[in-house]
Amino acid sequence: MEFVYVPSGEFAAGWAAPGFGRQTTRKIRLDGFWIAKNDVTVSQFFDYCAASGYKFDWDGRRPDWFWEADDRPMVAVTSEEARAYCKWAGGDLPTEAQWEKAARGTDGRLFPWGNDWQINSCWCSQDGGEKTEPAPIGSFPKGASPYGCLADPITAQIHVSRRIFVDPRITHPE
């Protein structure tokens, strides 16, 4: 697994997009941390289950695209399962602020790649085709954050770092 470093310092956390109603931002200062460049894959989570003996309900939570696409981001995990995976891998769940800084940088950008929508920077249905499954990990290098993270901020389910892991669907207290 490849990691990127997010240095210490302040960043603008929150939402401040023009024309989108309520907008709240706040300055948050964080210590530096390491975070994985890509999301945790189905294969990596499967390895955790095999090594730890965890009985994940692979059939009961199977998405429409099935689990055979093991280079795709892991989905359908609870916060408890994410914490257990993190502990097994030697890390911890990060705060919402750590995840946001890794994905957006320090300049308040709307997307990891900047403020303008770029259809070729993420997996989306804007091109008229229906996306029914997540893209393989690393499919959109143009969508990298300022720190080089390629985790899709919309569909990512678990994100891994040397000491930090995240399930971005869940807000973690500071």
Side-chain angles (χ1 to χ4, degrees), residues 29-146:
R29 178 167 180 75
L30 296 174
D31 291 336
F33 57 94
W34 287 93
I35 195 160
K37 181 176 179 177
N38 295 297
D39 300 318
V40 172
T41 65
V42 171
S43 178
Q44 290 167 323
F45 194 80
F46 181 84
D47 290 346
Y48 151 71
C49 292
S52 69
Y54 182 69
K55 305 289 186 225
F56 184 77
D57 184 8
W58 293 97
D59 291 324
R61 292 197 239 168
R62 183 181 298 267
D64 292 341
W65 50 271
F66 300 107
W67 297 111
E68 287 76 21
D70 59 4
D71 62 343
R72 309 298 166 107
M74 183 61 195
V75 298
V77 296
T78 67
S79 59
E80 293 78 21
E81 289 166 333
R83 281 186 192 92
Y85 175 89
C86 296
K87 184 177 179 182
W88 171 81
D92 200 358
L93 287 172
T95 64
E96 178 182 9
Q98 289 167 322
W99 171 259
E100 186 174 351
K101 184 176 181 183
R104 295 177 58 209
T106 60
D107 59 5
R109 60 186 56 210
L110 297 177
F111 307 103
W113 56 83
N115 287 324
D116 296 322
W117 178 250
Q118 296 176 8
I119 193 169
N120 61 350
S121 294
C122 67
W123 195 237
C124 68
S125 296
Q126 185 176 333
D127 62 2
E130 185 175 334
K131 309 293 191 258
T132 59
E133 63 187 63
I137 296 297
S139 294
F140 295 93
K142 290 181 180 181
S145 79

Side-chain angles (χ1 to χ4, degrees), residues 18-35:
F20 282 94
R22 184 175 156 219
Q23 301 173 23
T24 58
T25 59
R26 65 192 188 286
K27 292 283 186 182
I28 296 179
R29 178 167 180 75
L30 296 174
D31 291 336
F33 57 94
W34 287 93
I35 195 160

